[in-house]
């Protein structure tokens, strides 16, 4: 039986500033609307790999919402968990890059349709079919969403399933107090923890900057797999008795948003499907590289055939 992987949270449209350093304080040109939202990108990547993918979210009854649902359905995501709220507007985000690694956002999320997602929107029959639940830290921006996450963890864990957590910290959201409390709760139920190297410091209990020590402290609280994402420098996998490291592929950066989401979706899906850790890690690394090669946050999701063709091309050159 194929695993079913569920996630929940923001489903947005994104507008991308055309120029580096364009910012948001003067009129300028933007590309978009693009389908976006970290959990949505994750769900799209899971579906493209051929696994059962379920996204719980809310959109408004508007063209942005229709575009998002149509796009996810086209790629094979089960969209029955997406509610269309007649009185709300689909969420949006504006992004402007300062450099390839630094970007600023303006989010319209808490007041949008996806900000209204609550535990009541999670159909228990649908959730009951899931063997795995993935959490994006960026989705924990309201008490309603945190409540929904608690419910999903409860149902999936009670059925013997597993949980993955990508903190996906956005500096624009760090002042939300519910968020940091929820991080602590979620870590206690996490099987797969997928931070980026910069985020690991946040979880280092401010005691050490030594990666192996931070990782060791995570194992003591029950986490079984830690995968650290390092942007152009690749990624590392740690369990209590194994570690693997892969260097980044040398690729041109077009739009890095979404790389971590594609990486996480590919690693978790392939691991749960029985791939060895090194095989899942190298494919996740390739999936992240492919994500940054397309403009638009969800435009760089790829099939397993595309990932393996990319790996073969890289090996030849
Ligand atoms: P985001 O939250 O923006 O989606 P992230 O910070 O969670 O990203 P990154 O480390 O930026 O995650 O990217 C995830 C993976 O994608 C990396 O581990 C790597 O495999 C690949 N990747 C990202 N950026 C690059 C790059 N510039 N060159 C090559 N590979 C990259
Ligand atoms: Mg991320």
């Amino acid at each position: 039986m194929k695993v079913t992987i569920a996630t929940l949270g923001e489903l947005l449209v994104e507008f991308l500033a055309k120029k580096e350093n364009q910012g948001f304080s003067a009129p300028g040109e933007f590309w978009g609307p693009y389908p976006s939202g970290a959990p949505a990108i994750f769900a799209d990547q899971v579906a493209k790999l051929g696994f059962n993918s379920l996204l719980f979210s809310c959109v408004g009854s508007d063209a942005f919402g229709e575009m998002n649902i149509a796009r996810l359905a086209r790629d094979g995501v089960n969209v029955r968990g997406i509610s269309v709220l007649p009185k709300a507007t689909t969420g949006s985000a504006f992004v402007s890059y300062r450099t390839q690694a630094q970007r600023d956002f303006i989010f319209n999320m808490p007041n949008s349709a996806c900000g209204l997602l609550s535990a009541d929107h999670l159909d228990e029959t649908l959730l009951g079919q899931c063997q795995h639940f993935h959490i994006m830290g960026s989705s924990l921006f309201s008490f309603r969403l945190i409540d929904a996450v608690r419910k999903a963890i409860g149902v999936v864990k009670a059925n013997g399933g597993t949980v993955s957590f990508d903190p996906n910290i956005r500096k624009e959201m760090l002042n939300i107090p519910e968020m940091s409390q929820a991080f602590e709760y979620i870590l206690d139920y996490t099987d797969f923890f997928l931070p980026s190297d910069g985020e690991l410091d946040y979880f280092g209990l401010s005691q050490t900057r030594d990666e192996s020590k931070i990782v060791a402290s995570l194992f003591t609280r029950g986490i079984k797999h830690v995968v650290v994402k390092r942007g152009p420098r690749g990624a590392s996998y740690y369990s209590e008795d194994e570690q693997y490291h892969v260097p980044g592929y040398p690729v041109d950066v077009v739009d890095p948003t979404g790389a971590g989401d594609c990486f996480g979706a590919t690693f978790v899906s392939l691991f749960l499907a029985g791939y060895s850790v090194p095989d899942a890690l190298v494919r996740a690394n390739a999936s992240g590289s492919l994500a940054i090669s397309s403009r638009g946050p969800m435009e760089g999701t790829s099939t397993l055939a595309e990932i393996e063709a990319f790996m073969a091309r890289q090996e030849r050159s």
Side-chain angles (χ1 to χ4, degrees):
M1 195 189 70
K2 257 202 250 174
V3 287
T4 297
I5 297 175
T7 185
L8 70 75
E10 63 277 20
L11 176 55
L12 312 166
V13 288
E14 186 180 295
F15 295 87
L16 171 63
K18 285 195 176 177
K19 291 197 188 118
E20 209 161 88
N21 278 313
Q22 182 171 313
F24 308 118
S25 3
E29 288 188 85
F30 289 81
W31 279 295
Y34 289 110
S36 190
I41 298 165
F42 181 96
D44 196 76
Q45 179 59 73
V46 169
K48 277 230 180 159
L49 292 170
F51 299 98
N52 295 326
S53 174
L54 176 63
L55 175 69
F56 291 102
S57 191
C58 294
V59 294
S61 170
D62 52 37
F64 290 160
E66 274 167 34
M67 177 185 75
N68 276 338
I69 291 177
R71 164 57 194 278
L72 292 168
R74 183 199 82 188
D75 288 347
V77 176
N78 180 347
V79 294
R80 279 187 298 156
I82 303 174
S83 308
V84 180
L85 308 181
K87 289 188 192 135
T89 305
T90 301
S92 56
F94 292 79
V95 59
S96 175
Y97 282 99
R98 290 191 205 188
T99 62
Q100 276 178 6
Q102 265 194 309
R103 68 208 144 159
D104 298 307
F105 288 99
I106 291 183
F107 289 112
N108 169 29
M109 291 206 314
N111 299 314
S112 75
C114 68
L116 297 173
L117 177 70
S118 67
D120 291 343
H121 291 107
L122 308 191
D123 181 306
E124 291 196 20
T125 314
L126 278 178
L127 250 190
Q129 297 160 3
C130 300
Q131 288 79 43
H132 186 83
F133 179 60
H134 179 74
I135 302 149
M136 285 290 181
S138 53
S139 310
L140 306 171
F141 57 84
S142 82
F143 67 90
R144 280 191 212 91
L145 275 138
I146 293 167
D147 228 33
V149 164
R150 281 177 194 264
K151 173 172 170 178
I153 291 175
V155 173
V156 172
K157 283 263 163 164
N159 285 338
T162 47
V163 165
S164 50
F165 176 39
D166 176 346
N168 214 22
I169 294 172
R170 300 283 172 256
K171 65 182 189 307
E172 287 81 358
M173 295 182 195
L174 273 177
N175 56 354
I176 303 174
E178 292 95 332
M179 205 169 209
S180 46
Q181 290 161 16
F183 279 180
E184 287 305 310
Y185 168 81
I186 290 165
L187 279 175
D188 287 336
Y189 293 91
T190 297
D191 301 286
F192 300 82
F193 185 47
L194 309 160
S196 59
D197 50 1
E199 288 164 346
L200 206 53
D201 291 344
Y202 181 90
F203 294 91
L205 319 162
S206 10
Q207 282 161 9
T208 175
R209 293 191 72 88
D210 181 337
E211 183 167 300
S212 56
K213 285 197 185 135
I214 298 176
V215 170
S217 76
L218 293 166
F219 293 140
T220 61
R221 60 193 295 174
I223 294 170
K224 292 174 197 69
H225 314 274
V226 178
V227 189
V228 181
K229 295 167 280 175
R230 303 184 198 285
R233 284 166 292 108
S236 300
Y237 167 91
Y238 300 90
S239 69
E240 251 172 317
D241 36 42
E242 278 180 307
Q243 42 175 287
Y244 298 97
H245 305 272
V246 285
Y249 286 106
V251 288
D252 287 334
V253 180
V254 178
D255 180 4
T257 303
D261 313 331
C262 291
F263 177 101
T266 303
F267 183 81
V268 168
S269 301
L270 297 183
F271 184 96
L272 294 174
Y275 280 63
S276 70
V277 169
D279 285 351
L281 188 64
V282 71
R283 283 162 183 74
N285 194 34
S287 167
S289 305
L290 283 167
I292 66 169
S293 312
S294 301
R295 180 178 299 127
M298 201 187 282
E299 307 315 301
T301 52
S302 25
T303 63
L304 192 55
E306 285 164 347
I307 289 171
E308 289 180 346
F310 169 84
M311 288 163 52
R313 277 199 306 279
Q314 290 290 323
E315 216 151 279
R316 279 198 300 274
S317 62

